[in-house]
Coordinates of all heavy atoms in Angstrom, one line a residue:
M100 N 0.8 -1.2 0.0 CA 0.0 0.0 0.0 C 0.9 1.3 0.0 O 2.0 1.3 0.6 CB -0.9 0.0 1.2 CG -2.0 1.0 1.3 SD -3.2 0.6 0.0 CE -4.3 1.9 0.3
S101 N 0.4 2.3 -0.6 CA 1.2 3.5 -0.8 C 1.1 4.4 0.5 O 0.1 4.3 1.2 CB 0.6 4.3 -1.9 OG 1.2 5.6 -2.0
N102 N 2.1 5.1 0.8 CA 2.1 6.0 1.9 C 1.8 7.4 1.5 O 2.0 8.4 2.2 CB 3.5 6.0 2.5 CG 3.8 4.7 3.2 OD1 2.9 4.1 3.7 ND2 5.1 4.4 3.3
M103 N 1.2 7.6 0.3 CA 0.8 8.9 -0.2 C -0.4 9.4 0.5 O -1.4 8.6 0.8 CB 0.5 8.9 -1.7 CG 1.7 8.5 -2.5 SD 1.4 8.4 -4.3 CE 1.2 10.1 -4.7
T104 N -0.5 10.7 0.8 CA -1.6 11.3 1.4 C -2.7 11.5 0.4 O -2.5 11.4 -0.8 CB -1.3 12.7 2.0 OG1 -1.0 13.6 1.0 CG2 -0.1 12.6 3.0
M105 N -3.9 11.8 0.9 CA -5.0 12.0 0.0 C -4.8 13.3 -0.9 O -5.1 13.3 -2.1 CB -6.3 12.2 0.7 CG -7.6 12.3 -0.1 SD -7.8 10.9 -1.2 CE -8.4 9.7 -0.1
D106 N -4.1 14.3 -0.4 CA -3.8 15.4 -1.2 C -2.8 15.1 -2.3 O -2.9 15.5 -3.5 CB -3.1 16.5 -0.3 CG -4.1 17.3 0.5 OD1 -5.3 17.2 0.2 OD2 -3.7 17.9 1.5
E107 N -1.8 14.2 -2.0 CA -0.8 13.8 -3.0 C -1.5 13.0 -4.1 O -1.2 13.1 -5.3 CB 0.3 13.0 -2.4 CG 1.2 13.9 -1.5 CD 2.2 13.1 -0.7 OE1 1.8 12.0 -0.2 OE2 3.3 13.5 -0.6
L108 N -2.4 12.1 -3.7 CA -3.1 11.3 -4.7 C -4.0 12.1 -5.6 O -4.1 11.9 -6.8 CB -4.0 10.2 -3.9 CG -3.2 9.1 -3.3 CD1 -4.2 8.2 -2.4 CD2 -2.5 8.3 -4.3
T109 N -4.6 13.1 -5.0 CA -5.5 14.1 -5.8 C -4.7 14.8 -6.8 O -5.0 15.0 -7.9 CB -6.3 15.0 -4.8 OG1 -7.1 14.2 -3.9 CG2 -7.1 16.0 -5.6
M110 N -3.5 15.3 -6.3 CA -2.6 16.1 -7.2 C -2.1 15.2 -8.4 O -2.1 15.6 -9.5 CB -1.4 16.7 -6.5 CG -1.8 17.8 -5.6 SD -0.5 18.5 -4.6 CE 0.6 19.1 -5.9
L111 N -1.8 13.9 -8.0 CA -1.4 13.0 -9.0 C -2.4 12.8 -10.1 O -2.2 12.8 -11.3 CB -1.0 11.6 -8.4 CG -0.6 10.5 -9.3 CD1 0.8 10.8 -9.9 CD2 -0.6 9.2 -8.5
R112 N -3.7 12.6 -9.6 CA -4.8 12.4 -10.5 C -5.0 13.6 -11.4 O -5.2 13.5 -12.6 CB -6.1 12.1 -9.7 CG -7.3 12.0 -10.5 CD -8.5 11.9 -9.6 NE -9.7 12.1 -10.2 CZ -10.4 13.3 -10.3 NH1 -9.9 14.3 -9.7 NH2 -11.5 13.4 -11.0
N113 N -5.0 14.8 -10.8 CA -5.4 16.0 -11.5 C -4.4 16.5 -12.5 O -4.7 17.0 -13.5 CB -5.7 17.1 -10.5 CG -6.9 16.9 -9.7 OD1 -7.7 16.0 -10.0 ND2 -7.1 17.6 -8.6
Y114 N -3.1 16.3 -12.1 CA -2.0 17.0 -12.9 C -1.2 16.0 -13.7 O -0.3 16.4 -14.5 CB -1.2 17.9 -12.0 CG -2.1 18.9 -11.4 CD1 -2.5 18.8 -10.0 CD2 -2.6 20.0 -12.1 CE1 -3.3 19.8 -9.5 CE2 -3.4 20.9 -11.6 CZ -3.8 20.8 -10.2 OH -4.7 21.7 -9.7
I115 N -1.3 14.7 -13.5 CA -0.6 13.7 -14.3 C -1.5 12.8 -15.0 O -1.5 12.7 -16.2 CB 0.4 12.9 -13.4 CG1 1.4 13.9 -12.8 CG2 1.0 11.8 -14.2 CD1 2.4 13.3 -11.8
L116 N -2.4 12.1 -14.3 CA -3.3 11.1 -14.9 C -4.3 11.7 -15.8 O -4.5 11.2 -17.0 CB -4.0 10.3 -13.8 CG -3.1 9.4 -13.0 CD1 -3.8 8.6 -11.9 CD2 -2.3 8.4 -13.9
L117 N -5.0 12.7 -15.4 CA -6.1 13.3 -16.3 C -5.5 13.8 -17.6 O -6.1 13.5 -18.7 CB -6.9 14.4 -15.6 CG -7.9 13.8 -14.5 CD1 -8.6 15.0 -13.8 CD2 -8.9 12.9 -15.1
P118 N -4.4 14.6 -17.6 CA -3.9 15.1 -18.9 C -3.4 13.9 -19.8 O -3.6 13.9 -21.0 CB -2.7 16.0 -18.5 CG -3.0 16.4 -17.1 CD -3.8 15.3 -16.5
Y119 N -2.8 12.9 -19.2 CA -2.4 11.7 -19.9 C -3.6 11.0 -20.5 O -3.6 10.6 -21.7 CB -1.6 10.8 -19.0 CG -1.0 9.6 -19.8 CD1 0.0 9.7 -20.7 CD2 -1.5 8.3 -19.5 CE1 0.5 8.6 -21.4 CE2 -1.0 7.2 -20.2 CZ 0.0 7.4 -21.1 OH 0.5 6.3 -21.8
M120 N -4.6 10.8 -19.7 CA -5.8 10.1 -20.2 C -6.5 10.9 -21.4 O -6.9 10.4 -22.4 CB -6.8 9.9 -19.1 CG -6.4 8.9 -18.1 SD -7.4 8.9 -16.6 CE -9.1 8.7 -17.2
Q121 N -6.5 12.2 -21.2 CA -7.0 13.1 -22.3 C -6.3 12.9 -23.6 O -6.9 12.8 -24.6 CB -7.0 14.6 -21.8 CG -7.6 15.5 -22.8 CD -7.6 16.9 -22.3 OE1 -7.2 17.2 -21.2 NE2 -8.1 17.8 -23.2
T122 N -5.0 12.9 -23.5 CA -4.2 12.6 -24.7 C -4.5 11.3 -25.4 O -4.6 11.2 -26.6 CB -2.7 12.7 -24.4 OG1 -2.4 14.0 -23.9 CG2 -1.8 12.5 -25.6
M123 N -4.6 10.3 -24.5 CA -4.8 8.9 -25.0 C -6.2 8.8 -25.7 O -6.3 8.3 -26.8 CB -4.8 7.9 -23.9 CG -3.4 7.6 -23.4 SD -3.3 6.5 -22.0 CE -4.8 5.5 -22.0
V124 N -7.2 9.4 -25.1 CA -8.6 9.4 -25.7 C -8.6 10.2 -27.0 O -9.2 9.8 -28.0 CB -9.6 9.9 -24.7 CG1 -11.0 10.0 -25.3 CG2 -9.7 8.9 -23.5
E125 N -7.9 11.4 -27.0 CA -7.9 12.2 -28.2 C -7.3 11.4 -29.4 O -7.7 11.5 -30.5 CB -7.2 13.5 -28.0 CG -7.9 14.5 -27.1 CD -7.1 15.7 -26.7 OE1 -5.9 15.6 -26.7 OE2 -7.7 16.7 -26.3
K126 N -6.2 10.7 -29.1 CA -5.5 9.9 -30.2 C -6.4 8.8 -30.6 O -6.5 8.5 -31.8 CB -4.2 9.4 -29.7 CG -3.1 10.4 -29.5 CD -1.8 9.8 -29.0 CE -0.7 10.9 -28.9 NZ 0.5 10.4 -28.5
S127 N -7.1 8.2 -29.7 CA -8.0 7.1 -30.1 C -9.2 7.6 -31.0 O -9.5 7.0 -32.0 CB -8.6 6.4 -28.9 OG -7.6 5.7 -28.1
I128 N -9.7 8.8 -30.6 CA -10.8 9.4 -31.4 C -10.2 9.7 -32.8 O -10.9 9.4 -33.8 CB -11.3 10.6 -30.7 CG1 -12.2 10.2 -29.5 CG2 -12.2 11.4 -31.7 CD1 -12.6 11.4 -28.7
A129 N -9.1 10.2 -32.9 CA -8.5 10.5 -34.2 C -8.3 9.3 -35.1 O -8.6 9.3 -36.3 CB -7.1 11.2 -34.1
D130 N -7.9 8.2 -34.4 CA -7.7 6.9 -35.2 C -9.0 6.4 -35.6 O -9.2 5.9 -36.7 CB -7.0 5.9 -34.3 CG -5.6 6.2 -34.0 OD1 -5.0 7.0 -34.7 OD2 -5.0 5.6 -33.0
I131 N -10.0 6.4 -34.8 CA -11.4 5.9 -35.1 C -12.0 6.7 -36.2 O -12.8 6.1 -37.1 CB -12.3 5.9 -33.9 CG1 -11.7 4.9 -32.8 CG2 -13.7 5.5 -34.2 CD1 -12.4 5.0 -31.5
E132 N -11.8 8.0 -36.3 CA -12.4 8.8 -37.4 C -12.1 8.3 -38.8 O -12.9 8.5 -39.7 CB -11.9 10.3 -37.2 CG -12.6 11.0 -36.1 CD -12.1 12.4 -35.9 OE1 -11.0 12.8 -36.4 OE2 -12.8 13.2 -35.2
Y133 N -10.9 7.7 -38.9 CA -10.5 7.2 -40.2 C -10.7 5.7 -40.4 O -10.3 5.1 -41.4 CB -9.0 7.6 -40.5 CG -8.9 9.1 -40.5 CD1 -8.2 9.7 -39.4 CD2 -9.3 9.9 -41.6 CE1 -8.1 11.1 -39.4 CE2 -9.2 11.2 -41.5 CZ -8.6 11.8 -40.5 OH -8.4 13.2 -40.5
S134 N -11.4 5.1 -39.4 CA -11.6 3.7 -39.5 C -12.8 3.3 -40.3 O -13.8 4.1 -40.4 CB -11.9 3.2 -38.0 OG -12.3 1.8 -38.0
T135 N -12.8 2.2 -40.9 CA -13.9 1.7 -41.7 C -14.8 0.7 -40.9 O -15.6 0.0 -41.4 CB -13.4 1.0 -43.0 OG1 -12.6 -0.1 -42.6 CG2 -12.7 2.0 -43.9
N136 N -14.5 0.6 -39.6 CA -15.2 -0.3 -38.7 C -16.7 0.1 -38.7 O -17.1 1.3 -38.6 CB -14.6 -0.2 -37.3 CG -15.2 -1.2 -36.4 OD1 -16.3 -1.6 -36.4 ND2 -14.3 -1.7 -35.5
V137 N -17.6 -0.9 -38.7 CA -19.0 -0.7 -38.7 C -19.4 0.0 -37.4 O -20.4 0.8 -37.4 CB -19.7 -2.1 -38.8 CG1 -21.2 -1.9 -38.6 CG2 -19.4 -2.8 -40.0
M138 N -18.7 -0.2 -36.3 CA -19.0 0.4 -35.0 C -18.3 1.7 -34.8 O -18.4 2.3 -33.7 CB -18.7 -0.6 -33.9 CG -19.5 -1.9 -33.9 SD -21.2 -1.6 -33.5 CE -21.1 -1.1 -31.8
S139 N -17.7 2.3 -35.8 CA -16.9 3.5 -35.5 C -17.7 4.7 -35.0 O -17.2 5.4 -34.2 CB -16.1 3.9 -36.8 OG -17.0 4.2 -37.8
Q140 N -18.9 4.8 -35.5 CA -19.8 5.9 -35.0 C -20.1 5.8 -33.5 O -20.0 6.7 -32.7 CB -21.1 6.0 -35.8 CG -21.9 7.3 -35.5 CD -21.2 8.6 -35.8 OE1 -20.4 8.6 -36.7 NE2 -21.4 9.6 -35.0
A141 N -20.4 4.6 -33.1 CA -20.6 4.3 -31.7 C -19.3 4.5 -30.8 O -19.4 5.1 -29.7 CB -21.1 2.9 -31.5
Y142 N -18.2 4.1 -31.4 CA -16.9 4.3 -30.7 C -16.6 5.8 -30.5 O -16.1 6.2 -29.5 CB -15.8 3.6 -31.4 CG -15.9 2.0 -31.4 CD1 -15.3 1.3 -32.4 CD2 -16.5 1.4 -30.4 CE1 -15.4 -0.1 -32.4 CE2 -16.6 0.0 -30.4 CZ -16.0 -0.7 -31.4 OH -16.0 -2.1 -31.4
L143 N -16.9 6.5 -31.6 CA -16.6 8.0 -31.5 C -17.5 8.6 -30.5 O -17.0 9.5 -29.7 CB -16.9 8.6 -32.9 CG -15.8 8.4 -34.0 CD1 -16.3 9.0 -35.3 CD2 -14.6 9.1 -33.5
M144 N -18.8 8.2 -30.4 CA -19.7 8.8 -29.4 C -19.2 8.5 -28.0 O -19.2 9.3 -27.1 CB -21.1 8.3 -29.7 CG -21.7 8.9 -30.9 SD -23.3 8.1 -31.3 CE -24.3 8.6 -29.9
A145 N -18.8 7.2 -27.8 CA -18.3 6.8 -26.5 C -17.0 7.5 -26.1 O -16.9 8.0 -25.0 CB -18.1 5.3 -26.5
G146 N -16.1 7.6 -27.1 CA -14.9 8.3 -26.9 C -15.1 9.8 -26.6 O -14.4 10.3 -25.7
Q147 N -16.0 10.4 -27.3 CA -16.3 11.8 -27.0 C -16.9 12.0 -25.6 O -16.5 13.0 -24.9 CB -17.2 12.4 -28.1 CG -17.4 13.9 -28.0 CD -16.0 14.6 -28.2 OE1 -15.3 14.4 -29.2 NE2 -15.7 15.5 -27.2
H148 N -17.7 11.1 -25.2 CA -18.3 11.2 -23.9 C -17.2 11.1 -22.8 O -17.2 11.8 -21.8 CB -19.4 10.1 -23.7 CG -20.0 10.1 -22.3 ND1 -20.9 11.1 -21.9 CD2 -19.8 9.3 -21.2 CE1 -21.2 10.9 -20.6 NE2 -20.6 9.8 -20.2
V149 N -16.3 10.1 -23.0 CA -15.2 9.9 -22.0 C -14.3 11.2 -22.0 O -14.0 11.7 -20.9 CB -14.4 8.7 -22.4 CG1 -13.1 8.6 -21.5 CG2 -15.2 7.4 -22.2
L150 N -14.0 11.7 -23.2 CA -13.2 13.0 -23.3 C -13.9 14.1 -22.6 O -13.3 14.9 -21.9 CB -12.9 13.3 -24.7 CG -12.0 14.4 -25.0 CD1 -10.6 14.2 -24.3 CD2 -11.8 14.7 -26.5
D151 N -15.2 14.2 -22.7 CA -16.0 15.3 -22.1 C -15.9 15.2 -20.6 O -15.7 16.2 -19.8 CB -17.5 15.3 -22.5 CG -17.7 15.7 -23.9 OD1 -16.7 16.3 -24.6 OD2 -18.8 15.4 -24.5
Q152 N -16.0 13.9 -20.1 CA -15.9 13.7 -18.6 C -14.5 14.1 -18.1 O -14.3 14.7 -17.0 CB -16.2 12.3 -18.3 CG -17.7 11.9 -18.5 CD -18.6 12.7 -17.7 OE1 -18.5 12.9 -16.5 NE2 -19.6 13.3 -18.4
I153 N -13.5 13.7 -18.8 CA -12.1 14.0 -18.4 C -11.9 15.5 -18.4 O -11.3 16.1 -17.5 CB -11.1 13.3 -19.4 CG1 -11.1 11.8 -19.2 CG2 -9.7 13.9 -19.1 CD1 -10.3 11.1 -20.2
T154 N -12.4 16.2 -19.4 CA -12.3 17.7 -19.5 C -13.0 18.3 -18.4 O -12.5 19.3 -17.8 CB -12.8 18.2 -20.9 OG1 -12.1 17.5 -21.9 CG2 -12.7 19.7 -21.0
K155 N -14.2 17.8 -18.1 CA -15.0 18.4 -17.0 C -14.2 18.3 -15.6 O -14.1 19.2 -14.9 CB -16.3 17.7 -16.9 CG -17.3 18.4 -15.9 CD -18.5 17.6 -15.6 CE -19.2 17.1 -16.8 NZ -20.5 16.4 -16.6
E156 N -13.6 17.1 -15.4 CA -12.8 16.9 -14.2 C -11.6 17.8 -14.2 O -11.2 18.3 -13.1 CB -12.4 15.4 -14.1 CG -13.5 14.4 -13.8 CD -14.0 14.6 -12.4 OE1 -13.2 14.8 -11.5 OE2 -15.2 14.5 -12.2
S157 N -11.0 17.9 -15.3 CA -9.8 18.8 -15.4 C -10.1 20.2 -15.1 O -9.3 20.9 -14.4 CB -9.1 18.7 -16.8 OG -8.7 17.4 -17.1
F158 N -11.2 20.7 -15.5 CA -11.5 22.1 -15.3 C -12.0 22.3 -13.9 O -12.0 23.4 -13.4 CB -12.5 22.6 -16.3 CG -11.9 23.0 -17.6 CD1 -12.3 22.3 -18.7 CD2 -11.0 24.0 -17.7 CE1 -11.7 22.6 -20.0 CE2 -10.4 24.3 -18.9 CZ -10.7 23.6 -20.0
A159 N -12.4 21.2 -13.2 CA -12.9 21.3 -11.8 C -11.7 21.4 -10.8 O -11.9 21.7 -9.7 CB -13.8 20.1 -11.5
C160 N -10.5 21.1 -11.3 CA -9.3 21.1 -10.5 C -8.8 22.5 -10.2 O -8.6 23.2 -11.2 CB -8.2 20.3 -11.2 SG -8.6 18.6 -11.6
P161 N -8.6 22.8 -9.0 CA -8.0 24.2 -8.7 C -6.6 24.2 -9.0 O -5.9 23.1 -9.0 CB -8.2 24.3 -7.2 CG -8.3 22.9 -6.7 CD -8.9 22.1 -7.8
P162 N -6.0 25.3 -9.4 CA -4.6 25.4 -9.7 C -3.8 25.1 -8.5 O -4.2 25.5 -7.4 CB -4.4 26.8 -10.3 CG -5.6 27.6 -9.9 CD -6.7 26.6 -9.6
V163 N -2.6 24.6 -8.7 CA -1.7 24.3 -7.6 C -0.8 25.6 -7.3 O -0.3 26.2 -8.3 CB -0.7 23.1 -8.0 CG1 0.3 22.9 -6.9 CG2 -1.5 21.9 -8.2
T164 N -0.7 25.9 -6.1 CA 0.1 27.1 -5.7 C 1.5 26.6 -5.4 O 1.7 25.4 -5.1 CB -0.5 27.8 -4.5 OG1 -0.4 26.9 -3.4 CG2 -1.9 28.2 -4.7
M165 N 2.4 27.5 -5.4 CA 3.8 27.2 -5.0 C 3.9 26.7 -3.6 O 4.7 25.8 -3.3 CB 4.7 28.4 -5.2 CG 5.0 28.7 -6.7 SD 5.6 27.3 -7.6 CE 7.2 27.2 -6.9
L166 N 3.1 27.2 -2.7 CA 3.1 26.8 -1.3 C 2.7 25.3 -1.2 O 3.3 24.6 -0.5 CB 2.1 27.7 -0.5 CG 2.0 27.4 1.0 CD1 3.4 27.6 1.6 CD2 1.0 28.3 1.6
E167 N 1.7 24.9 -2.0 CA 1.3 23.5 -2.0 C 2.4 22.6 -2.5 O 2.7 21.5 -2.0 CB 0.1 23.3 -2.8 CG -1.2 23.8 -2.2 CD -2.4 23.7 -3.1 OE1 -2.3 24.1 -4.3 OE2 -3.4 23.2 -2.7
L168 N 3.1 23.1 -3.6 CA 4.2 22.3 -4.1 C 5.4 22.1 -3.1 O 6.0 21.1 -3.0 CB 4.7 22.9 -5.4 CG 3.8 22.8 -6.6 CD1 4.4 23.5 -7.8 CD2 3.5 21.3 -7.0
E169 N 5.6 23.2 -2.4 CA 6.7 23.2 -1.5 C 6.4 22.2 -0.3 O 7.3 21.6 0.2 CB 7.0 24.6 -0.9 CG 7.6 25.5 -1.9 CD 7.7 26.9 -1.4 OE1 7.2 27.3 -0.3 OE2 8.3 27.7 -2.2
R170 N 5.1 22.1 0.0 CA 4.7 21.3 1.1 C 5.0 19.8 0.8 O 5.2 19.0 1.7 CB 3.2 21.5 1.3 CG 2.6 20.8 2.6 CD 1.2 21.2 2.8 NE 0.4 20.2 2.1 CZ -0.9 20.3 1.8 NH1 -1.5 21.5 2.0 NH2 -1.5 19.4 1.3
F171 N 5.0 19.4 -0.5 CA 5.2 18.1 -0.9 C 6.6 17.8 -1.3 O 7.0 16.6 -1.7 CB 4.3 17.7 -2.1 CG 2.8 17.7 -1.7 CD1 2.0 18.7 -2.2 CD2 2.3 16.8 -0.8 CE1 0.6 18.7 -1.8 CE2 1.0 16.8 -0.4 CZ 0.2 17.7 -0.9
S172 N 7.5 18.7 -1.3 CA 8.9 18.5 -1.6 C 9.6 17.7 -0.4 O 9.3 18.0 0.7 CB 9.7 19.7 -1.9 OG 9.7 20.6 -0.8
Y173 N 10.4 16.8 -0.8 CA 11.0 15.9 0.2 C 12.5 16.2 0.4 O 13.2 16.4 -0.4 CB 10.8 14.4 -0.1 CG 9.4 14.0 -0.1 CD1 8.7 14.0 -1.3 CD2 8.8 13.7 1.0 CE1 7.3 13.6 -1.3 CE2 7.4 13.3 1.1 CZ 6.7 13.3 -0.1 OH 5.4 13.0 -0.1

């Protein structure tokens, strides 16, 4: 089990995982747009929904202050 605090886990999610997930979903959507797969329209709709949720979560994150960053330096 990790010794990370809830604040550290939240920062990890907000500033590392969410941007990475956004990039992955955007690339997948771009790949699907040129696909001849019968289900491509459904995949695009699902991908867009996931991207919308990631974007909503990203904008809900407050900016990190230097004081917060200093608090987590070891």
Side-chain angles (χ1 to χ4, degrees):
M100 189 72 177
S101 172
N102 290 331
M103 296 178 74
T104 67
M105 187 56 76
D106 285 341
E107 291 171 322
L108 290 172
T109 301
M110 288 177 63
L111 176 71
R112 173 186 169 266
N113 293 347
Y114 302 103
I115 296 175
L116 293 179
L117 286 176
Y119 182 71
M120 290 169 52
Q121 181 176 359
T122 300
M123 288 176 26
V124 173
E125 288 171 342
K126 287 181 179 179
S127 294
I128 288 173
D130 290 344
I131 293 168
E132 285 177 340
Y133 299 106
S134 172
T135 58
N136 188 324
V137 175
M138 296 292 292
S139 63
Q140 188 62 33
Y142 293 152
L143 282 173
M144 290 172 62
Q147 189 59 53
H148 179 73
V149 170
L150 186 58
D151 291 345
Q152 294 300 313
I153 292 170
T154 303
K155 188 188 311 181
E156 288 289 321
S157 295
F158 282 116
C160 305
V163 176
T164 65
M165 288 305 293
L166 183 61
E167 290 174 310
L168 288 176
E169 289 172 359
R170 192 174 90 200
F171 293 112
S172 64
Y173 296 96

